[in-house]
Amino acid sequence: MFASIVSPCPTTPVRAAVVDAHGVVVAKKPSLIRRLFRGIWRTIVTLYAVLLIVMLLVVPVGLYFAFFSGPSMVVEKDTALVWAPTGDLVEQHSRGVGNLVGSLVTEPQRQSVVRDLIEALDRAADDDRIKLAFLKLDELGGAQPGQVQDLVAAIDRFKQSGKPVVAWSPSYGQSQYALASHADTVYMDPFGYVFIPGYGVFRNYYKDAIDKLGVEINVFRVGEYKSYVEPFTRNDMSPQARAANQTWMNSLWQIYREQVSAPRDYQAQHISDYIDGFPQALSRAGGDAARVAADAGLVDEVASLADVRDAMREQVGSDESHGSFRQIHHVEYLNATDAEQPAPRTESRIATVVVEGAIVDGESVPGQAGGDTIARMIANARRDDHVAAVLLRVNSPGGSVTASERIREQVAATREAGKPVVVSMAGVAASGGYWIAMNADEIWAEPSTITGSIGIFGIVPTFSKPLEDLGIHTDGVGTTALSGAMRLDKPLSEPVKMMLQAGVEHGYDQFVGRVAEARDMQEDAVRRIAEGRVWSGADAERIGLVDKLGGYVEAEKATAKLAGLGEGDYAIELMQPPADWRTAIREFLSSHVESALVPDWFAQVGDASALDWLRNGMNDPRHLYAHCFCALDTGAPAGRSVVAPQQSVE
């Protein structure tokens, strides 16, 4: 027997229910109209979710094929390879869905992958259809000295094939000229210039501003030369940092001058004389910077672009489809020749894992290397029976100690599993970037690579004073002396400071000890070259932190040799993090939302790297960091921002 009941409480919504024969309350089935509307709502939500998935996946893929794919390219006989690095040099493109979606919101930042630029020249050197290489350098943006050396080596290998190399740019900054100097002929516009200011390290220092705000920056560090925290504790560069920076920059400057002068008819000192006397020479030439560069022998021909096109037509002929000389862009050339590459004789692969940007805890996003992501890719390569060895390409100033240790553990485990691991250092592999490299079978670096910086620091800002000025006070109770001790709205107590300093010192001892064990060195010897001191690759090889000097190609060959693989026996597998909807959202937010909201002029004010690291990089759970400030100021003009590779020299 059933009886209807109603809640006696007048404030409770009335809901129908029934009681069965056993006294159990059973909810009454919703009405037909309510179920109908509920079904319609579920259908709407499902359709919305499907539409969102389509926007995140199908639309970007369609746009990609619409804008970047086209008819297959054919490499004609007597063609010039237009080798045109565009934007900043990077070690790996981010290819996630989040970046494709983000490109609909903001203009994508152009980048060129160093490996692609090297591969294009190396293929073209053995291709009878390619008659010469035309270096189009006007769109090149930021480049690390070590990356430039990698590209210079590729240019020299191309020249060894007997084919000419021609360089052109309206003007040349420091990186552009390092590449152009190795061409057989260097062209420059009559209104151009060659500006080579050398290297510098300049930072903003915030101590006075921080004091005015009342923020307390608590710093814990080990290492006389660990200067990354100085902007938050000083108003100028310390004498120790000044001396150390001058030493490694002098090493890089000497390497640059020798690199530029080697293929030209002058001594390395000529570059210093040119830049030191540039103001006076420019005045004597009536402001004609092109004439100054030509008189100094830095350029071979001062000519308009129309004249350059005519000179190229005489060598390779004309292409009437775009009214210029016969040519193919290096990106199109790679796409056109991919299918022509011989298949490897075995199923063996060398897994390449790229560590690009600051090392942070968690997952990777564009510009930052997540410790979890990198460690997982190395572990996947180790478990893959077809992977014979791992090549770790590092272009990072370091960051979180916890994340760096997670990556190092996987490197060591892979080596212990019998698979060789080789590290190829790109522009910078310092501090945490060296931490992850030290257990490899071999470490390769370019002479201009920035490395070392073996040191640890902790930094904890607290904001009690500015909060009190706003009338906000913090109070409470806890069960121990450390309850609430790490709150940022309270000053750090002396016991907490003692605890953090002890953690930093322990981390430094671990860093030094691991380097000594991995590099087969005495611990005292490591301490003498540690303390946060930065070294050039050439000096690092001399003191034992690096095994061999060479670039990506040499490191790849060394990896194959350690794995017992000959040329043609293996394929390169570029490891990529798995793409899912969470990764897409992370990439989109990290790469595009901030740039859409923050004006360009504001983003370029001040010491962007230090401020960005404070905002995004301080996520180590133990507040311990192995991070190097290795940003060089070359005074080079920024490259123009473009959306797509230039298809011709117009």
Side-chain angles (χ1 to χ4, degrees):
M1 183 173 183
F2 297 90
S4 178
I5 61 171
V6 179
S7 170
C9 178
T11 60
T12 303
V14 176
R15 186 175 181 179
V18 294
V19 179
D20 65 10
H22 301 287
V24 178
V25 178
V26 181
K28 187 177 180 180
K29 182 180 287 189
S31 67
L32 177 63
I33 295 178
R34 176 174 294 182
R35 281 182 286 157
L36 177 63
F37 277 104
R38 187 176 296 171
I40 293 173
W41 175 248
R42 288 197 184 112
T43 303
I44 293 173
V45 170
T46 302
L47 290 174
Y48 179 80
V50 171
L51 180 62
L52 182 61
I53 293 173
V54 169
M55 290 180 62
L56 286 174
L57 299 175
V58 179
V59 173
V61 172
L63 288 173
Y64 176 84
F65 283 106
F67 286 101
F68 296 101
S69 66
S72 58
M73 295 294 300
V74 176
V75 184
E76 299 179 356
K77 187 174 177 57
D78 292 337
T79 295
L81 175 72
V82 176
W83 191 78
T86 305
D88 295 343
L89 295 183
V90 297
E91 300 305 318
Q92 184 177 31
H93 269 312
S94 176
R95 306 184 185 188
V97 175
N99 277 335
L100 287 172
V101 175
S103 65
L104 303 177
V105 180
T106 61
E107 181 177 312
Q109 181 181 2
R110 294 302 302 167
Q111 297 176 330
S112 293
V113 179
V114 171
R115 187 68 186 92
D116 291 346
L117 292 164
I118 293 172
E119 181 69 18
L121 284 174
D122 286 346
R123 284 188 195 178
D126 297 325
D127 191 337
D128 294 336
R129 298 165 298 182
I130 300 297
K131 191 171 183 179
L132 61 86
F134 187 91
L135 313 185
K136 183 178 180 290
L137 303 172
D138 57 321
E139 302 289 356
L140 176 61
Q144 302 261 8
Q147 294 173 310
V148 171
Q149 279 194 297
D150 251 359
L151 299 183
V152 164
I155 295 171
D156 288 343
R157 286 195 299 272
F158 182 89
K159 287 171 64 177
Q160 289 171 7
S161 69
K163 301 175 183 180
V165 177
V166 176
W168 171 83
S169 182
S171 298
Y172 293 98
Q174 193 153 293
S175 296
Q176 286 106 331
Y177 189 72
L179 300 174
S181 66
H182 284 250
D184 296 285
T185 306
V186 180
Y187 286 99
M188 188 176 71
D189 191 83
F191 290 94
Y193 56 83
V194 177
F195 188 61
I196 308 174
Y199 297 117
V201 170
F202 298 93
R203 308 183 66 175
N204 296 130
Y205 291 80
Y206 310 110
K207 185 178 185 303
D208 280 352
I210 289 171
D211 289 345
K212 289 178 181 178
L213 292 172
V215 177
E216 184 180 2
I217 302 293
N218 301 276
V219 171
F220 313 91
R221 68 174 183 174
V222 180
E224 185 178 4
Y225 302 100
K226 201 65 183 174
S227 60
Y228 197 97
V229 298
E230 287 188 355
F232 313 111
T233 60
R234 297 178 58 94
N235 289 318
D236 58 359
M237 186 180 292
S238 69
Q240 295 90 338
R242 190 179 300 276
N245 288 336
Q246 193 69 58
T247 298
W248 64 263
M249 281 192 297
N250 285 345
S251 178
L252 263 59
W253 180 231
Q254 179 61 26
I255 292 169
Y256 179 90
R257 294 186 304 161
E258 292 173 353
Q259 173 183 282
V260 165
S261 62
R264 315 293 293 175
D265 191 21
Y266 46 72
Q267 299 296 315
Q269 183 59 36
H270 181 66
I271 297 298
S272 294
D273 295 339
Y274 169 79
I275 199 63
D276 291 341
F278 186 75
Q280 295 78 13
L282 189 61
S283 179
R284 290 194 299 270
D288 189 347
R291 195 176 104 195
V292 173
D295 289 345
L298 271 64
V299 299
D300 299 301
E301 297 284 347
V302 176
S304 67
L305 183 54
D307 292 334
V308 174
R309 285 203 305 262
D310 291 340
M312 293 300 98
R313 282 194 188 98
E314 293 179 4
Q315 298 194 55
V316 297
S318 299
D319 186 343
E320 300 304 329
S321 64
H322 53 65
S324 188
F325 58 90
R326 188 181 295 111
Q327 61 188 262
I328 184 169
H329 190 277
H330 77 268
V331 173
E332 293 175 340
Y333 176 73
L334 287 174
N335 292 334
T337 56
D338 275 344
E340 301 173 2
Q341 303 310 301
R345 290 187 291 266
T346 72
E347 294 184 351
S348 297
R349 298 193 298 267
I350 292 177
T352 300
V353 179
V354 175
V355 182
E356 178 96 55
I359 299 172
V360 298
D361 211 49
E363 302 297 334
S364 295
V365 296
Q368 292 185 333
D372 291 349
T373 303
I374 303 298
R376 189 163 54 249
M377 287 193 290
I378 297 173
N380 289 341
R382 182 176 66 252
R383 290 191 288 264
D384 189 335
D385 292 337
H386 294 299
V387 171
V390 174
L391 176 59
L392 192 65
R393 178 71 168 178
V394 182
N395 191 43
S396 171
S400 163
V401 167
T402 300
S404 299
E405 174 62 9
R406 188 167 293 124
I407 297 171
R408 186 203 67 82
E409 288 172 349
Q410 292 302 321
V411 170
T414 302
R415 185 178 176 184
E416 290 170 3
K419 293 189 178 183
V421 181
V422 172
V423 168
S424 172
M425 294 180 169
V428 55
S431 217
Y434 189 82
W435 187 301
I436 67 176
M438 58 184 162
N439 280 93
D441 291 271
E442 290 184 4
I443 300 176
W444 288 71
E446 287 285 9
S448 290
T449 297
I450 301 168
T451 187
S453 191
I454 299 169
I456 299 284
F457 68 89
I459 182 168
V460 181
T462 56
F463 307 94
S464 59
K465 180 63 166 60
L467 289 175
E468 288 175 359
D469 291 342
L470 292 172
I472 301 173
H473 306 278
T474 302
D475 195 11
V477 295
T479 58
T480 74
L482 296 180
S483 297
M486 293 299 296
R487 290 181 60 98
L488 301 185
D489 54 1
K490 293 175 53 182
L492 293 183
S493 65
E494 288 304 317
V496 170
K497 292 180 179 180
M498 185 185 306
M499 178 180 69
L500 290 172
Q501 182 63 38
V504 169
E505 291 175 1
H506 175 71
Y508 179 70
D509 290 339
Q510 291 288 305
F511 199 168
V512 170
R514 282 183 166 86
V515 171
E517 181 180 0
R519 304 298 302 163
D520 195 22
M521 300 171 65
Q522 294 295 320
E523 191 167 312
D524 288 343
V526 176
R527 290 186 183 276
R528 286 194 294 271
I529 59 177
E531 296 196 11
R533 186 160 186 170
V534 179
W535 302 92
S536 69
D539 288 337
E541 191 265 344
R542 175 177 55 81
I543 61 179
L545 292 179
V546 166
D547 294 301
K548 303 283 182 64
L549 295 180
Y552 187 100
V553 172
E554 291 81 6
E556 179 187 311
K557 292 178 179 177
T559 309
K561 183 177 180 180
L562 288 173
L565 300 172
E567 185 177 354
D569 288 343
Y570 62 91
I572 293 293
E573 180 180 1
L574 185 60
M575 303 294 288
Q576 294 274 5
D580 54 22
W581 65 271
R582 294 182 183 86
T583 305
I585 293 174
R586 242 187 345 259
E587 289 178 351
F588 174 73
L589 294 175
S590 67
S591 300
H592 301 282
V593 171
E594 183 178 0
S595 61
L597 298 176
V598 180
D600 287 342
W601 64 266
F602 184 79
Q604 295 173 6
V605 173
D607 190 345
S609 63
L611 294 176
D612 185 65
W613 179 78
L614 272 180
R615 184 173 66 252
N616 299 318
M618 289 182 59
N619 70 344
D620 187 285
R622 294 182 293 163
H623 302 282
L624 298 179
Y625 303 95
H627 199 116
C628 171
F629 179 77
C630 306
L632 281 169
D633 185 344
T634 63
R640 288 181 291 157
S641 177
V642 295
V643 176
Q646 298 296 310
Q647 301 302 314
S648 62
V649 181
E650 301 173 354

